[in-house]
Structures are given as C-alpha cells and as structure tokens.
Amino acid sequence: MRAQSIRRVVTVVTLLALMAGFGYGVNRLIASRKSKIPTQATVFIPTGTRAKIVLPGTLYLAQNGELYRLSDGFFTNLHLSVAQGQWMQPAYVPGTQDIVAVLRASEYSDLYLLDGQGGIVRQLSHNATNQIPNVWLNHWMFWPRFGADGKLYFSYDQPKSGTFAVDFNVWSGSLTGALANRQLTDSNAYTGGDVNPVPLSNGSVMYSRYAIGSGNVFSLIALQSPALRNPVLLTTPAQDCGQPAPSRDGTMVAMVCIGGTGLQSTRLEVAPLVGNTLGTPRVLVNNCLCSAPAWAPDGSGLVYFNPADSSGHFELWWIKGALAAATTSPAVQVTTNLDFDATSPPSWSPLATIPTMSR
Amino acid sequence: MPGSRSSTIRIARASARVSPARRRSARCASDTESVYRRPERNLPTVTLPSVEFVIKPQVRRERASVRRKYVRRHRVLLAFLIAVGFVLSGAVGALAYFMPAIVTAIQDTGQSLVRSSPKASTAASPSASASAAATQPPVVAPPGNPFTVLLLGSDNDAKFGGTVLTQSMILARVNPTTRKVVMESIPRDLWVPLSTGGSAKIDAAYLHGGASAAVATVEQDFHIHIDHYAWIGLLGLVNLINEVGGIDVVATNPVMDDFYPADLSGKNPYAYERVAVLPGPQHMNGGEALMYVRSRHGDLRSDFGRSQRQQQVLLALRAKAKLLGIADLPDIATAMANDFSTDMSISQIASLLPIASNVQLQNVQQVILAPPYSSSGTVANQDVLLPDWSLILPETHRFFPAV
C-alpha cells in the first residue's frame, strides 16, 4: 500500500516536472523563432579573419573605432588606444609607413600622425576647448588626404560665423608647420559644407560640395583651383553624387550617387575625367549601400564598402578592372562577418607592409 | 488420420487468429465455468439455491464489465487530465513569453480617441469648437479600405515634465489594395487654429489636449478624416531602432549642430552637445538615428530638412520591420513600453505589419510642406510658419480625401 502511494507520488511529481519542462520548452521554442537580425555581437574582429582575395599594397581601414592594416590577405590591428574616442579615416603618408588618422571624441575630432605600427608620433591638431560647457567652441576635422605636394588636405569646421551654421571647408597645411594653414573652399552655409577632399596631381582638389535647391539637399563633385574661387562642378544636382575617388593617373573618377534612389540606396559609378570635365558615368553597382570607393595603387581595380546582407554591416568588396570600360569583372566580397566604418574611406598605399617589429 | 490432422491444424490456426480481446473473454468464460462447476463437485454441501449459481456469474461478469469500463474511463480521464496539464503548461510558457507584449497591448494600444463633432470642428471658430466639443464614436475605415494614420513624435525628456509637444507630425495614407503609401510631414511651427481653442504652433495641440486634440486639430485645419493615430517618444524610437539591430541610412549631407539638446545623455536636460553625422551610407544605432532625425539648427531647411530625414528613417525602419516575426513582439514591446500609444488595437497593428512589409519603396510618395506652401513669419514674438491654405489644401486632398 505504502509502495503504491510512493509510486503514485513519484508519478505525479514526474508528470508535473515534465509539464514544467514542456512549458519551458514551448517558451524557448517561441524564443528561437525570433528573427535572426545580426547584431554587433555577430561581428568578428578583422584579425581573426582572412581576406578572400590578396590585394596589392596595403589597405588601411577602420572598424568599431580601431584601425587595421590589410596586407597579403591578413589584417593587423594597429593597437591604438581607443580610450579617448574612435579612430577612423586613416590616410597613408606617401613614401613612408606612417599614416595620419582621425581620433573622434563626442564633441570634437583631432588628427594624429602615427608610425604605421601602432605608435602615436604626434598630435597634429588640438580641437577640444577647455571651456567644457561651451561645446560650440570645439571643432571637427575629418577626411585627411596627402597631396603630391606633400601637404595634408582635410575638412575643417572653420571659420564659424557665430550663428547656428556649422559647415566644413577644405583646408590644407603641412605636418611640420601650421596644420590648418590655408582655407581652400568657401562652402554653402547651412548645408554641412565641403567634404571628402582628394588632392590631384595638377594641384587642384576634388571634393563633395553640398548645396540646397528647390527644398532638397544634394551633393556635387567639385574641383577647386585656385583657393576660394568658384569651384568647377563636375556633376549635376539630379545625379547627387559624392565621395569622389580619382584614380592614381587621374583619368577616372569613382563616385557614390543617390539621385533617383529615394534616399534609401546608392549607386557606385565610374566616369572618365578629361581636363575639368567628367564624362558619361558608368554604373558598376546599382541599388546598393555602396560607400567609400578607393582605387588600387596599380589601377587594377577598386574596393568599396557595402553590406552583404540585411545586417547593415559593411564588408569590403573588390571590382577588378574597373578602369577599362566594358571589361569590369563582377564584384567580389573580400571580407565576411566584419563591420567596417562606412564613413571612413580606406586609404590604399602602394607599399607592401614592413613586418611588424616587436616594440 | 489425415482428416483429423487437418482439422487440428485448422483449429490451431483458428486459435492463432483469435484476437487478444476474445482471448480475454475466453479466459473469463473458463473462470465462470470453473465457478459453475464447483458446486457440482461438492454436491452434498450445497446450501445455496441453485438459482444463485445461475445468476452469480452474470453479476460477476457485469461487475467485471463495470470495473473494466471504470478503469477504462479512469485511464481516459487521467490521460485527458495529463494532456490538459501539458497544454496548460505550454500555454503558460507561451503566455510568459508574450507577457511584455500583452502588457504593452493593454496599456498602450486601443487608446480611446475623443473626437469633436464635425459641427464643432470648423476652422473658422476654433474657440467655439473647444466649448462645443462632443464625443462621437470613431469612424474608421473598414478592413482593406484605404485609411489615414497620424504619426506623432515627441520630445518627452525630463525638461518637459510630462507635458510634451509633437516635434514630428506625419500624415500617412495607406492603401492596402494598391500597396501605396503617401507620407505628408506637417511642419511643427505651422501657425494654425487649435481644436482646443485659439491659435498656436501645431505642435502645441498635443500639449493642450493629447492625441485627441492633435488629431482634431489636423482634421479641422486640413479638412480630412484621420482613422488612427500612433505616438512615440524619444526613448521609444531609440530603443525600437536598437531592438531591430539598427537601421541602414544614406545620410543626405553632413548633419551638423552645435546646439543639439543633451537631454538624453547628460544630467542637465538644458545642456547642449555637438552633433556631426557624416554623409553617405551607414549603419545607425538608435542614438545616432535620433541625432539624424532631430537635429535642425545646421540645416538651411530647418524643420523641412528634418522632416525629410524623419521620413527617410521611417522607411529605413520599415525595411528592418520586414525581417521581424511575431516572436520579436515581446522585445519590441519592452523596448517601447511607456513611450508609445495608439488607438489601434493589437489585431489592427498586426494586420498592418504585412502591409508595411509589402509596400515597395517606389510606391511610397513623400510630401513636405516647404515654401511656397508655408512662409516664415513672426506671431506673438514667436518665429512661426504661416500656412498658405490655398496651396496646402489642394495638395493634401490629392492624397487624403477631403471631408
């Protein structure tokens, strides 16, 4: 009798436990049906991956506030401190292993000279105000690029007019003298200004110039030479093209256009540059989130950023032979499970990387 | 004896074919037989009437049958109870999972919308409309028919102490049949007669009378009917975007602002912070997206530029919403708790989701009431936008039926 009672109790307890387990299982089963939206947790660190294609020279890229070097298919972390902000927009110093990069804090950004192996050589700008509550006394500097004249070109939110307007202008300077030595462009007020400067070998500067017309804001690719004169506009408002990337020989320009896309996607285009005129553009990739094109130093193709899936995480893509019309190969995804900073154009040095010395 | 062998074989085969139930029945019969035979073997001691020997087996058989039925019923009942127990535990597991969504559905959806009578809501005499305000049952479009939703967004941070303006007002006309959507942004500084009386910037309608007043004001001034409204606060938007893993946005231009309110990040809600959203395609989290849609000081178009960016982010959110399923509802509900309200029921919201995901981008028309639809002016020492109703109403009624 007692054994029967015990058996009954055990049976009931077992059943209750099974029911509880079943309830929990149903709960977890529903939870497992959640959409698999990739998050930052699914992003790999570049050094834990390898590029699918070995690209010539050395590419400098930024992900999640850190700078990486891609050479021979392998990534190397430059191991810069990110305590004060996010590292981004590296620019190689021609003929050296050094780079200049932006360290972005919440209210300002500064340019730094780095030795290419993780050492900070010098802070080039001091854009933080010591009057902490007056945040408008801080300044932004972005998109550094070196010209053939050895000068550094970048966008800088100076001069300010004492109004609500905060617009970028293109400036140039030297690493040895005053960094913001010469203002080159006079941007349209209340548009965001002039960004992405790229110095050309003929001394002019190509950049994205923002303007507002008919209630819409759009980007124009402009050529500035000489300083502070009216720029030559290479594209139309309807094209709404920006992020110009001229090839090393200056005959082609890659650009990102959003005209006619409903502001939800972009097109990657290339167009021949003859003098101060841009020829008919050719669409390389349509209906994408293509960003930040950069030509290979040997002209064998170009790279750009674009998400590979709905995660919105930007991967590196490569198009071989984009220089010559009608011989373009399909775009090839170079990286997977990474998330490059799409607002940080890669800088592509022709030099192979010197093996890292232990420091 | 071939004949008898064959008959033995037949019997064996027949016995092999007997079903277990019949075997049990046969066993039972043999038991009865033995009971029946026992008195024959002990004739001298028989004292019971012979009739009892005839009835007893039947009683036993009935009792056995009743017992079998009882046992069978008991087992069926037990099995049923166990099944119910499992179903209930499964239901409790599902209920526990969807609890945040259920709580949000109860608290934030199906909000009542007090509508003023058409007579009271004439634009000519807004002050009279307030006094004559009367409630009437909401007239909503039947399922499948085009309908209009007023989307409201508010700064509901600490400095407003619970009374908030609507920084964003977007009229959306959804046609489920043609899968076309029209979004018309109403400038927050538009100087209009309010349904609650007097004239003010249209963003004050919500401040004076909540969603009902905002809906009534837009209805009376734009001469349209609004079927539903949905309101979201700052943190609700930030959390929603974070919950869907961020959104992919093509930033139209550098969005620069040295006087962006630091009301969500700092201790002082009146402090400022700097904003620099760099141009081009990028993946934004909730905080970055909020800066993008909220900043206006550095834009020549001021609120119009901001309205365009708000519509852009709404479309980017729609693209992410296409990836969501019903199992995502609890997390989204938790993210938006206390920062969302609507008069739509949860079933109406659920029926909207497939429509939202099926609408193609080219079928979304965006309208912004920039000049010449409105012009800058000063009223009562306030910088306002003065509407040109002769232009606004025909443009609005192209997409939103006039009433």
Side-chain angles (χ1 to χ4, degrees):
Chain A
M1 192 69 186
R2 194 179 168 194
Q4 199 176 1
S5 299
I6 291 171
R7 202 163 55 237
R8 276 184 182 167
V9 169
V10 168
T11 307
V12 168
V13 168
T14 307
L15 273 174
L16 287 174
L18 282 173
M19 285 173 190
F22 180 72
Y24 181 75
V26 168
N27 185 293
R28 292 299 86 199
L29 179 71
I30 300 170
S32 72
R33 306 297 297 174
K34 280 205 294 191
S35 56
K36 302 290 185 291
I37 296 175
T39 60
Q40 203 60 33
T42 61
V43 173
F44 289 5
I45 296 168
T47 48
T49 67
R50 192 176 172 188
K52 288 179 184 171
I53 299 168
V54 175
L55 300 170
T58 303
L59 262 169
Y60 294 94
L61 308 126
Q63 175 177 305
N64 197 25
E66 299 197 54
L67 296 180
Y68 295 89
R69 186 174 56 213
L70 173 61
S71 183
D72 286 332
F74 290 96
F75 286 96
T76 308
N77 189 334
L78 296 187
H79 289 298
L80 295 156
S81 166
V82 291
Q84 296 174 325
Q86 305 269 303
W87 289 100
M88 61 189 299
Q89 300 180 345
Y92 77 93
V93 182
T96 73
Q97 297 285 332
D98 295 348
I99 59 171
V100 167
V102 175
L103 180 60
R104 180 182 179 158
S106 58
E107 317 260 38
Y108 60 90
S109 60
D110 276 310
L111 301 186
Y112 285 77
L113 179 64
L114 313 169
D115 68 6
Q117 294 184 14
I120 295 176
V121 177
R122 197 165 72 247
Q123 182 175 347
L124 300 174
S125 64
H126 296 83
N127 289 327
T129 180
N130 52 10
Q131 299 176 43
I132 302 298
N134 302 332
V135 293
W136 52 90
L137 297 177
N138 292 296
H139 292 288
W140 301 111
M141 272 185 185
F142 288 110
W143 299 286
R145 280 289 183 269
F146 279 92
D149 55 2
K151 288 182 178 170
L152 186 62
Y153 294 76
F154 52 91
S155 290
Y156 185 25
D157 66 351
Q158 284 274 51
K160 284 191 182 178
S161 58
T163 63
F164 282 127
V166 187
D167 297 296
F168 287 114
N169 288 298
V170 176
W171 287 69
S172 71
S174 65
L175 296 185
T176 51
L179 183 67
N181 182 47
R182 191 176 183 211
Q183 182 186 346
L184 298 174
T185 68
D186 185 13
S187 62
N188 294 312
Y190 290 99
T191 61
D194 301 336
V195 302
N196 289 105
V198 185
L200 302 181
S201 54
N202 63 7
S204 59
V205 180
M206 187 180 286
Y207 62 98
S208 297
R209 182 177 179 84
Y210 283 91
I212 289 175
S214 306
N216 291 311
V217 65
F218 46 83
S219 174
L220 301 157
I221 293 181
L223 271 178
Q224 186 71 47
S225 182
L228 299 176
R229 293 282 180 85
N230 285 336
V232 176
L233 302 178
L234 302 179
T235 55
T236 65
Q239 287 177 284
D240 198 354
C241 296
Q243 303 186 10
S247 60
R248 190 167 292 264
D249 61 5
T251 59
M252 296 287 283
V253 176
M255 53 196 177
V256 173
C257 303
I258 57 178
T261 64
L263 304 180
Q264 297 297 315
S265 64
T266 63
R267 293 184 306 274
L268 179 64
E269 299 183 355
V270 288
L273 178 66
V274 181
N276 285 350
T277 308
L278 210 54
T280 307
R282 184 161 57 97
V283 177
L284 294 182
V285 187
N286 207 351
N287 194 23
C288 59
L289 285 174
C290 300
S291 172
W295 292 92
D298 60 1
S300 58
L302 60 80
V303 293
Y304 62 96
F305 295 134
N306 188 31
D309 53 35
S310 58
S311 68
H313 296 157
F314 286 84
E315 305 287 354
L316 190 68
W317 294 73
W318 159 253
I319 299 180
K320 191 178 176 184
L323 270 175
T327 57
T328 309
S329 303
V332 177
Q333 190 179 338
V334 179
T335 61
T336 49
N337 296 320
L338 301 184
D339 183 19
F340 291 114
D341 181 351
T343 63
S344 178
S347 178
W348 203 337
S349 166
L351 298 181
T353 306
I354 298 169
T356 307
M357 307 292 285
S358 58
R359 298 173 62 84
Chain B
M1 302 287 281
S4 67
R5 182 183 287 176
S6 70
S7 80
T8 309
I9 290 166
R10 268 203 302 275
I11 289 164
R13 280 178 182 165
S15 124
R17 279 199 297 269
V18 172
S19 69
R22 289 194 66 179
R23 273 188 211 146
R24 272 201 303 275
S25 169
R27 245 195 334 266
C28 211
S30 71
D31 287 351
T32 315
E33 229 171 281
S34 65
V35 171
Y36 179 72
R37 280 195 205 105
R38 208 174 296 138
E40 286 177 359
R41 284 198 297 270
N42 304 305
L43 270 177
T45 59
V46 167
T47 53
L48 293 171
S50 60
V51 67
E52 203 174 327
F53 288 94
V54 177
I55 294 170
K56 194 172 180 180
Q58 289 176 347
V59 170
R60 287 199 171 197
R61 209 176 296 136
E62 281 171 8
R63 280 181 185 167
S65 170
V66 167
R67 195 181 301 120
R68 279 198 305 276
K69 281 180 183 171
Y70 173 77
V71 169
R72 200 179 302 137
R73 277 182 192 165
H74 182 73
R75 282 180 181 165
V76 168
L77 186 66
L78 200 62
F80 176 74
L81 284 176
I82 291 171
V84 167
F86 274 101
V87 169
L88 277 177
S89 63
V92 168
L95 191 71
Y97 183 82
F98 285 108
M99 188 53 77
I102 293 166
V103 171
T104 300
I106 292 168
Q107 288 178 349
D108 300 336
T109 66
Q111 302 288 311
S112 61
L113 194 58
V114 180
R115 288 167 187 267
S116 54
S117 66
K119 198 176 180 180
S121 38
T122 50
S125 56
S127 56
S129 70
S131 57
T135 59
Q136 61 176 19
V139 180
V140 294
N145 283 18
F147 58 92
T148 302
V149 184
L150 181 62
L151 305 172
L152 304 166
S154 289
D155 283 356
N156 57 337
D157 54 82
K159 67 176 176 281
F160 291 100
T163 54
V164 296
L165 305 164
T166 47
Q167 257 71 9
S168 175
M169 294 179 99
I170 299 175
L171 274 171
R173 181 78 177 164
V174 182
N175 190 328
T177 311
T178 60
R179 293 175 181 174
K180 287 188 175 176
V181 173
V182 180
M183 293 194 295
E184 179 174 310
S185 290
I186 300 172
R188 59 170 289 194
D189 293 337
L190 206 64
W191 187 260
V192 297
L194 300 183
S195 67
T196 51
S199 289
K201 292 181 182 179
I202 200 166
D203 63 359
Y206 191 88
L207 175 75
H208 292 306
S212 299
V215 168
T217 299
V218 175
E219 282 188 333
Q220 74 170 28
D221 292 334
F222 287 77
H223 300 166
I224 58 169
H225 172 72
I226 293 169
D227 296 288
H228 300 292
Y229 84 91
W231 173 90
I232 191 166
L234 289 184
L235 276 175
L237 181 69
V238 171
N239 292 339
L240 175 64
I241 292 173
N242 285 337
E243 194 53 50
V244 299
I247 52 173
D248 308 326
V249 176
V250 182
T252 52
N253 61 316
V255 175
M256 314 291 286
D257 196 341
D258 278 359
F259 298 93
Y260 182 84
D263 43 15
L264 290 182
S265 55
K267 289 178 181 173
N268 177 7
Y270 296 96
Y272 295 116
E273 64 181 322
R274 299 189 85 208
V275 164
V277 178
L278 303 188
Q282 54 200 284
H283 189 72
M284 290 182 179
N285 63 28
E288 292 162 346
L290 184 68
M291 286 179 178
Y292 185 63
V293 300
R294 199 179 175 205
S295 170
R296 66 170 180 154
H297 292 121
D299 194 323
L300 188 63
R301 300 166 300 162
S302 187
D303 196 45
F304 301 117
R306 185 164 74 164
S307 296
Q308 186 188 45
R309 296 195 297 272
Q310 287 166 355
Q311 293 190 4
Q312 194 187 2
V313 163
L314 269 182
L315 291 174
L317 250 177
R318 182 202 65 98
K320 267 295 167 74
K322 289 165 81 169
L323 307 172
L324 300 177
I326 193 166
D328 297 295
L329 279 179
D331 288 345
I332 290 171
T334 305
M336 295 175 68
N338 303 323
D339 272 307
F340 175 75
S341 72
T342 179
D343 64 326
M344 286 182 273
S345 66
I346 194 77
S347 60
Q348 285 173 313
I349 295 171
S351 67
L352 280 179
L353 290 177
I355 299 172
S357 57
N358 285 331
V359 171
Q360 298 296 313
L361 188 60
Q362 60 267 26
N363 287 336
V364 179
Q365 193 157 356
Q366 296 171 262
V367 181
I368 290 168
L369 298 177
Y373 297 100
S374 58
S375 56
S376 300
T378 307
V379 178
N381 292 325
Q382 297 180 74
D383 291 330
V384 302
L385 285 171
L386 300 169
D388 185 341
W389 293 113
S390 66
L391 295 176
I392 289 177
L393 292 182
E395 177 68 7
T396 302
H397 295 158
R398 281 176 60 205
F399 312 106
F400 301 86
V403 292

